[in-house]
Amino acid sequence: MDARGESAALGGLGAVALLAALPVALGAVGSPPEVGVTFRAPTPYEVVTGGPAGEVAVRPPDLLDALDRRGELEGTGPGIWLRSWRVTYGRQWEKEVTLPVVVGPLRDAAREPSCGYVVRASAGLFDPDVGAPAVRAVVEHAVRERWGALKAEARREGMDLEPVVAVPFSMRLTEGGVTASLRVVMADGAALDLEAQFGLLVQAGRLAVFVRSTRTQPNERLVELAHEAGLLGTPFRAFILGVTLGVAAPLLAAAGEGELRGRVRDAAEEMAEAVATKISAALGHLESLRSPLPGRPDDEIRITFQDQPLVTPRAVELRPCISVNIAPTGSVDVRIPGPPLVASPPPSLPPLADPAAPTIEVAASTHGLNQALYAAWQAGALRKLGEQLLSSSSENALVEKLAFDVTGVEPRLPPVVTGAGRRPGSLTLAAADLRLGTWDGGHGARDVVGHARVAVTVDAADEKLVLSGEVEDVRANCVERVGSAEWSLTPCLGDLVPVVRLELEGSPKSGSFDAGEWFRLLREASFGGARLDADQLRAEVREGGIYGRVRVRLEPRDPP
């Protein structure tokens, strides 16, 4: 599952709902007295990280007693909440203005990581017969590729090696780690068994691999060959042990069979330590990743770990902490360095149904989702999504009927998931201060802005992540700057909003992200001579967050 695509689709649902909700004949209704609000702020919204919301001036004053919404903050705790002033006429028409308020504390997205994620890889993903056939192919290919050099080296020591006829390899999860076993079998029956148990732990926030134990066992035929060549008691080079690392490990002056076995064991331990060091170094690259988005070389994603991995014979479970440093597109309010710290339960995975199936599962909590939404907003991905929505044929027909100049969908605030929705299996998404265009009602051009609360559900079908949003509330008004740090809200669109709300009830809007395109990119990519196949995507809302599962298989790209 792609966080960028998921975030953009989530953020766009509010924009879709607002566009669908705008009236097609603005100004057709009579104009009862308007309520207006003036307030002082550097932006057309408030940011409150402590203390009460700011003061406003309501006009005309004689409407104050008639207001059925009086500017109270419509929510508690961190999030994006609305303050509205509304007067309703005949239960049908209304004049309303709305001021969005960002309530902290806020997370600094670049400096404070979010640990709202959990990842689980099943045991089947580590099985060369099921999820990792490429690993077996790579190991066998390495053995056969090195065999010519090893034969020459052994010949200098007085031993003639037969060709390799089989390289059985297995890998499995065990309690606390991974066990890898390799057997090299030659045509004359000589063979050497190697087994290493690796553990996984977190050190200074980074994943590291360490060697728990090793075991080596040359078979009787290999010992006989050593006797026949007169190598016991003379300098001997462990030709087999160099297969994985591409070097040969020396065994010096073996005085007898017992010492020979001991030297082989020591060399195997050194080899396993070197393998663990290499894997740890590769995992260390997670600490700083560049953005996968084209044209954004300065974006950085940092992944660290606080909790120790949970490794069982059934699965590996990791809880990464992610910080995102996005080079902003356009101007971003420095007062909003990250998303509000909305109360969030920890990310939750369902019970593992089939550990033998090669799957990767990911769960993101409300914290994780809001971090992804903030990054997409900061990178300009939500603005681009709005442009795509407006360019679609169905939305074009609507835009042509609107009585104001639609310039796009510009979210001036990051959308925020405020928690589980009122409907089972949904999340509540707040989208506020969406700039939709300009309107001139005879008093000069003003920005048209909209605000929505959407119940979002998530599903997957045909390699597509499908997000559906049902509007629970929609509001719209105009805003204009009337001073260096002063704004005026006017209800230019208020008359028909109640009608629109009725029309939208029970009519969810859907958007989809084509995960199949990312699957195709993965198949085309190379991972050390292997390719990653992914399919059978599943997604759902789970306990205030999103859960996804995909079946994966590491296949050899080319035959060994």
Side-chain angles (χ1 to χ4, degrees), residues 500-521:
V500 172
R501 290 196 190 108
L502 292 175
E503 292 177 352
L504 288 176
E505 288 182 0
S507 301
K509 288 282 183 178
S510 295
S512 65
F513 164 66
D514 187 1
E517 180 63 27
W518 282 89
F519 292 162
R520 286 187 288 274
L521 291 175

Side-chain angles (χ1 to χ4, degrees), residues 42-358:
T43 55
Y45 51 82
E46 289 186 291
V47 178
V48 178
T49 56
E55 295 184 0
V56 304
V58 180
R59 60 181 191 277
D62 56 5
L63 272 181
L64 286 174
D65 292 339
L67 294 178
D68 49 31
R69 283 182 178 165
R70 298 172 178 266
E72 295 87 357
L73 194 63
E74 299 174 13
T76 59
I80 290 183
W81 307 108
L82 303 178
R83 300 176 65 190
S84 288
W85 293 262
R86 182 181 70 181
V87 57
T88 305
Y89 303 93
R91 299 184 180 180
Q92 184 67 30
W93 313 115
E94 66 183 39
K95 294 292 186 179
E96 180 179 48
V97 293
T98 297
L99 173 60
V101 183
V102 180
V103 179
L106 308 177
R107 180 191 302 277
D108 189 327
R111 296 181 176 86
E112 300 177 35
S114 169
C115 300
Y117 308 91
V118 59
V119 180
R120 182 169 64 196
S122 69
L125 185 60
F126 297 83
D127 188 342
D129 293 325
V130 183
V135 176
R136 173 185 285 121
V138 168
V139 170
E140 182 173 351
H141 181 63
V143 170
R144 296 183 185 278
E145 186 178 52
R146 283 281 301 161
W147 201 249
L150 294 171
K151 287 182 65 175
E153 188 173 347
R155 189 176 294 113
R156 288 194 297 269
E157 301 290 350
M159 178 184 288
D160 289 326
L161 297 180
E162 295 292 328
V164 170
V165 295
V167 189
F169 173 78
S170 66
M171 186 169 59
R172 68 186 187 279
L173 287 180
T174 54
E175 200 67 42
V178 180
T179 297
S181 301
L182 170 69
R183 187 175 216 217
V184 181
V185 182
M186 290 162 276
D188 58 3
L192 179 64
D193 291 322
L194 304 173
E195 182 180 276
Q197 292 186 346
F198 298 94
L200 187 65
L201 81 164
V202 171
Q203 291 180 326
R206 301 174 60 178
L207 281 177
V209 174
F210 67 97
V211 179
R212 301 179 67 185
S213 65
T214 60
R215 184 182 66 84
T216 60
Q217 181 63 49
N219 73 347
E220 293 301 323
R221 178 54 181 157
L222 185 58
V223 175
E224 290 175 6
L225 289 175
H227 275 291
E228 293 170 4
L231 295 179
L232 298 183
T234 64
F236 179 71
R237 189 169 290 271
F239 47 90
I240 293 294
L241 297 181
V243 169
T244 300
L245 299 181
V247 297
L251 298 175
L252 301 177
E257 182 178 331
E259 186 169 349
L260 172 64
R261 294 178 186 272
R263 299 278 184 166
V264 170
R265 182 179 60 252
D266 293 343
E269 290 175 356
E270 293 178 7
M271 180 184 69
E273 291 287 354
V275 170
T277 299
K278 286 188 174 184
I279 297 175
S280 296
L283 292 173
H285 292 303
L286 293 173
E287 192 172 6
S288 179
L289 302 175
R290 292 300 172 188
S291 169
L293 304 180
R296 301 195 59 83
D298 297 327
D299 296 347
E300 184 183 32
I301 302 171
R302 298 179 64 86
I303 303 177
T304 57
F305 299 85
Q306 291 183 349
D307 298 334
Q308 292 296 334
L310 177 61
V311 185
T312 71
R314 294 169 57 85
V316 175
E317 188 172 305
L318 303 170
R319 293 187 176 269
C321 299
I322 301 176
S323 58
V324 183
N325 189 5
I326 300 293
T329 300
S331 60
V332 174
D333 192 340
V334 295
R335 298 176 301 162
I336 310 177
L341 282 169
V342 178
S344 171
S348 171
L349 291 169
L352 183 61
D354 183 6

